[in-house]
Amino acid sequence: MPTSRTLLVDAAAKCPDREFVRWKANHVWHNWTFRELLKQTRIVSEMLSLLKLKPGDRVAVVMENRAEWMSAYLGIACCGLTVVPVDYRLQAVELSHILRDSETKAVFASAPVWTVLREIEADLRTLESIVMLDGIVTAQFKDNGVVHCDFSTLAVQVENRAKDAESFFNRTGPDEETPASIIYTSGTTGRSKGAILSHRNFCSQIRALEFFQVKPEDNFLLVLPLYHAFAFSACFVVPLAARCSVSMVENMRTIPENMRETQPTVLLAVPLLAEKMMNAIQRKLSKNLLAKTMLSIGLGKAVGRKIIDNLGGRLRLLI
């Protein structure tokens, strides 16, 4: 059974220049190849060493879907530490409970989480460090017993060390039974509880490839949040194993536009999202006289082809 680490290392070795993830920022699409993903993962791993973390420690990732979510996750999990993926929109009480219950020692977070973290950090007895993205922390400081750092500054500090033969990435690593994540329930029936999932648990999802043919040229559209086990397994672990691409939507409102821009071949959705897409298609059809006429005379396939074109033109599988 592989681990997250072996999936990444193998992909970077066998297809280093193939695009893995793309995302849109400031109206421009950016991407990382498998080679770049491994480089960024090694940098995050070296940050952990600088922060005096060690295998077995729990590190929370609290941010929206973005490329840094992936490199943070892999940087932590590939060195035998356990990731606590958390919804970045949680209120202080919920976030505090999860970080306390999981005995999190460090947090990698983005700008929207800063205010809440500052509110609760004094009550988190195991928390030692917070690494912030988006330039929120302009200079390293310590408060409430917690060291606060800037992600980009740390990355520059450790970039060369991350390439060394004795790097933290090279010296550590998980086996298949190592806990990869602690994923918390939504808490709808009481206080949320953490489910400990190993590298074996996640990598067993690769067996899905026996039933759904996934090709290197496939492009998964990532709509659902990566802190959910479904999105993580289906839109991160499986594409990593299949060595194909993942395109992140900007938000729920831009899904149609992003689909036209990225031309996905695979879309994984929850029923509500699929229903909304279907309702939007039906509304447009009801207002289009030509489409209604074509449907009435048995030319539904031509109408369907136009619908697929409006979704990027390459969509072949929706789960």
Side-chain angles (χ1 to χ4, degrees):
M1 183 68 67
T3 65
S4 299
R5 180 191 180 97
T6 58
L7 292 180
L8 171 62
V9 172
D10 288 351
K14 294 177 180 176
C15 44
D17 298 318
R18 185 178 298 163
E19 180 183 88
F20 176 62
V21 60
R22 66 178 70 142
W23 70 96
K24 195 174 186 180
N26 299 319
H27 309 292
V28 177
W29 284 96
H30 306 267
N31 71 80
W32 281 351
T33 62
F34 285 102
R35 186 203 309 274
E36 184 66 21
L37 178 61
L38 177 58
K39 174 187 173 182
Q40 296 300 328
T41 295
R42 284 179 167 274
I43 287 172
V44 171
S45 295
E46 204 59 36
M47 291 183 193
L48 304 178
S49 178
L50 192 66
L51 296 171
K52 302 189 184 324
L53 294 163
K54 59 186 184 302
D57 287 341
R58 285 81 180 271
V59 181
V61 175
V62 195
M63 59 184 83
E64 66 279 16
N65 283 2
R66 54 195 294 171
E68 293 91 345
W69 196 105
M70 294 181 167
S71 63
Y73 183 94
L74 290 170
I76 299 163
C78 285
C79 290
L81 291 81
T82 302
V83 184
V84 183
V86 187
D87 183 352
Y88 72 98
R89 297 164 300 183
L90 290 182
Q91 299 299 311
V93 173
E94 299 165 303
L95 181 58
S96 179
H97 162 66
I98 290 174
L99 298 183
R100 276 200 313 271
D101 186 68
S102 61
E103 298 182 338
T104 287
K105 282 195 173 182
V107 175
F108 282 71
S110 58
V113 194
W114 175 242
T115 302
V116 177
L117 282 174
R118 289 293 279 160
E119 179 183 343
I120 66 176
E121 63 183 17
D123 299 323
L124 303 174
R125 58 181 177 78
T126 61
L127 186 64
E128 298 175 356
S129 52
I130 294 174
V131 180
M132 292 299 306
L133 283 79
D134 306 319
I136 296 297
V137 177
T138 55
Q140 183 171 312
F141 69 95
K142 188 171 185 178
D143 192 21
N144 297 316
V146 179
V147 176
H148 302 72
C149 315
D150 173 60
F151 183 93
S152 297
T153 302
L154 284 185
V156 171
Q157 290 178 19
V158 305
E159 185 171 2
N160 289 331
R161 288 164 51 183
K163 303 173 187 175
D164 291 346
E166 291 301 309
S167 67
F168 191 64
F169 186 91
N170 288 351
R171 289 186 286 110
T172 58
D175 59 36
E176 58 192 41
E177 302 303 339
T178 299
S181 298
I182 303 177
I183 295 184
Y184 277 77
T185 61
S186 60
T188 51
T189 58
R191 178 156 279 191
S192 58
K193 299 174 180 63
I196 301 174
L197 297 171
S198 67
H199 284 262
R200 176 192 290 273
N201 291 146
F202 284 123
C203 290
S204 67
Q205 302 304 306
I206 297 167
R207 292 172 184 156
L209 298 177
E210 298 173 12
F211 307 98
F212 302 97
Q213 186 181 17
V214 180
K215 310 168 187 176
E217 57 268 26
D218 270 325
N219 174 23
F220 282 62
L221 190 73
L222 178 57
V223 178
L224 306 173
L226 283 167
Y227 60 81
H228 277 183
F230 173 54
F232 176 80
S233 299
C235 292
F236 187 22
V237 176
V238 168
L240 191 58
R243 299 166 194 159
C244 59
S245 299
V246 179
S247 296
M248 297 183 176
V249 300
E250 296 171 86
N251 54 61
M252 299 299 284
R253 295 185 301 277
T254 62
I255 291 175
E257 175 188 345
N258 293 159
M259 291 187 75
R260 289 191 293 271
E261 293 171 328
T262 63
Q263 299 182 309
T265 60
V266 182
L267 170 62
L268 294 108
V270 292
L272 179 60
L273 174 60
E275 288 168 9
K276 285 187 174 182
M277 291 179 65
M278 188 63 183
N279 290 339
I281 291 169
Q282 289 176 331
R283 281 197 302 272
K284 289 183 179 179
L285 289 177
S286 68
K287 298 175 182 178
N288 189 315
L289 181 58
L290 177 59
K292 290 167 68 175
T293 302
M294 292 176 69
L295 286 170
S296 68
I297 60 175
L299 297 177
K301 284 188 177 181
V303 177
R305 184 67 255 173
K306 181 64 176 176
I307 291 170
I308 294 296
D309 288 343
N310 287 333
L311 297 176
R314 298 178 63 221
L315 190 66
R316 67 176 184 83
L317 181 62
L318 189 151
I319 301 176

